[in-house]
């Protein structure tokens, strides 16, 4: 009797959840957001022993890529990549990308070249095992958003980058931006590129507004276009040139963002 009652309750709960997912935008939004975060946490626990055996090494990014790639299929996110050959450079370089939400990581994982890692802020430690796996995969974790923009920190990273032949991915906005524009870029990534005298490769992801909108709590399957722009050289540039380089890169990225997001409207 007790078993039958428990089974009935489970079936009712399951059917109720399916109906809510089908007809409630709010339920669907939070379910998919929690699933995305839960997947990252769950997979980090699963792969932690494997990456720990190798120790801190950017080669562990291959493991992260393996466990993250299925997410785009599960969530129904179709990703179209333009200009992928612009990443086929020998040696180190800096990739800068616009930052909209955790969905960014699905596109990033798809295009990230070998010997790549990220600069992230200490907020990643709120995700516990995710932070440990990321650190073991060579992520460069800064103390806070201000240090991410400091010349001294970027100088130290530049030395490591050149010595270890790394490609560094940076979100220069410094935080997630849910709107159909870009926040002012911090200078840290560009100080890094100038210090190391390596190219900057802009990566632009189209607006997620048609399928992901935090304000109105919408998260459905959708399509993302990623356009990788030609490398911008930094040879011969010095620290005084960083503001101009930053502005030039942001202007190119913002123009591209509006172009590949054509038809997307700000929804208030």
């Amino acid at each position: 009797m007790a078993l039958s009652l428990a089974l009935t309750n489970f079936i009712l709960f399951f059917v109720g959840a399916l109906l809510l997912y089908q007809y409630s935008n709010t339920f669907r939004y939070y379910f998919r957001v929690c699933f995305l975060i839960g997947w990252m946490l769950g997979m980090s626990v699963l792969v932690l022993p494997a990456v720990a055996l190798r120790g801190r090494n950017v080669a562990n990014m291959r493991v992260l890529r393996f466990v993250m790639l299925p997410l785009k299929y599960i969530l129904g996110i179709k990703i179209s990549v333009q200009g992928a050959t612009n990443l086929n450079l020998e040696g180190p370089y800096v990739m800068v990308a616009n930052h909209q939400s955790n969905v960014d990581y699905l596109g990033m994982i798809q295009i990230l070249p070998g010997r790549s890692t990220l600069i992230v802020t200490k907020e990643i430690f709120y995700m516990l095992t995710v932070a440990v796996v990321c650190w073991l995969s060579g992520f460069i974790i800064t103390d806070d958003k201000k240090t991410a923009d400091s010349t001294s920190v970027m100088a130290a990273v530049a030395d490591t980058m050149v010595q270890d032949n790394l490609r560094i991915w940076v979100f220069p906005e410094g935080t997630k931006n849910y709107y159909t524009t870009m926040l002012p870029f911090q200078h840290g990534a560009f100080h890094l590129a100038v210090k190391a005298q390596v190219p900057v490769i802009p990566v632009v992801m189209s607006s997620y507004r048609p399928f992901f909108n935090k304000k109105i709590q919408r998260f459905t399957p959708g399509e993302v276009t990623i356009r990788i722009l030609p490398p911008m050289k930094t040879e011969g540039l010095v620290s005084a040139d960083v503001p101009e380089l930053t502005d030039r890169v942001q202007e190119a990225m913002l123009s591209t963002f509006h172009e590949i997001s054509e038809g997307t409207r700000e929804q208030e």
Side-chain angles (χ1 to χ4, degrees):
M1 182 66 179
L3 180 60
S4 177
L5 183 60
L7 182 60
T8 300
N9 287 336
F10 174 78
I11 293 173
L12 289 174
F13 175 82
F14 183 74
V15 171
L18 283 178
L19 290 173
L20 283 171
Y21 186 88
Q22 183 68 28
Y23 296 107
S24 171
N25 287 336
T26 299
F27 181 86
R28 187 186 307 115
Y29 171 83
Y30 283 109
F31 179 86
R32 289 168 69 88
V33 167
C34 291
F35 182 85
L36 174 58
I37 296 172
W39 181 279
M40 295 169 67
L41 286 167
M43 288 298 113
S44 68
V45 173
L46 185 65
V47 304
L48 182 56
V51 298
L53 285 174
R54 182 180 281 152
R56 182 168 162 81
N57 193 319
V58 294
N60 285 326
M61 285 296 295
R62 292 197 292 266
V63 180
L64 291 189
R65 177 183 173 87
F66 177 78
V67 299
M68 286 293 291
L69 277 177
L71 258 181
K72 68 177 183 178
Y73 301 108
I74 296 171
L75 294 175
I77 308 299
K78 183 179 179 181
I79 300 172
S80 172
V81 181
Q82 303 172 356
T85 55
N86 287 321
L87 293 177
N88 295 340
L89 295 182
E90 296 292 335
Y93 49 79
V94 175
M95 296 162 283
V96 292
N98 55 313
H99 195 16
Q100 300 177 72
S101 76
N102 286 335
V103 176
D104 297 337
Y105 298 113
L106 306 186
M108 181 198 73
I109 285 294
Q110 177 166 325
I111 67 172
L112 207 63
R115 302 291 302 166
S116 295
T117 191
L118 282 72
I119 293 179
V120 295
T121 57
K122 68 177 183 179
E123 281 75 13
I124 196 172
F125 285 115
Y126 292 129
M127 297 190 73
L128 305 174
T129 51
V130 172
V132 177
V133 170
C134 288
W135 182 83
L136 287 169
S137 300
F139 280 40
I140 299 162
I141 302 174
T142 59
D143 287 341
D144 53 43
K145 293 172 185 176
K146 290 184 179 179
T147 57
D149 197 33
S150 71
T151 306
S152 59
V153 169
M154 290 303 116
V157 174
D159 292 339
T160 301
M161 177 183 184
V162 173
Q163 180 180 345
D164 295 343
N165 190 31
L166 298 178
R167 290 80 180 264
I168 306 291
W169 181 288
V170 185
F171 293 113
E173 291 170 282
T175 188
K176 297 183 183 73
N177 173 26
Y178 298 101
Y179 301 99
T180 53
T181 184
M182 294 183 189
L183 299 175
F185 282 6
Q186 298 178 0
H187 291 170
F190 306 95
H191 276 296
L192 170 61
V194 168
K195 172 66 177 177
Q197 294 288 281
V198 299
V200 175
I201 301 182
V203 178
V204 186
M205 302 187 194
S206 62
S207 175
Y208 302 157
R209 280 283 173 168
F211 68 91
F212 183 93
N213 189 318
K214 183 179 181 180
K215 187 170 184 179
I216 64 173
Q217 297 177 344
R218 177 174 62 202
F219 188 4
T220 65
E223 299 183 6
V224 178
T225 298
I226 302 176
R227 183 175 296 176
I228 303 161
L229 304 185
M232 295 189 176
K233 296 181 179 180
T234 63
E235 287 91 340
L237 298 185
V238 296
S239 292
D241 299 312
V242 166
E244 188 277 332
L245 173 64
T246 304
D247 291 343
R248 181 155 46 94
V249 171
Q250 180 156 22
E251 287 173 9
M253 291 180 65
L254 188 57
S255 174
T256 301
F257 177 77
H258 289 311
E259 180 183 343
I260 64 178
S261 304
E262 188 174 355
T264 298
R265 298 178 180 177
E266 183 74 23
Q267 301 186 29
E268 300 295 342

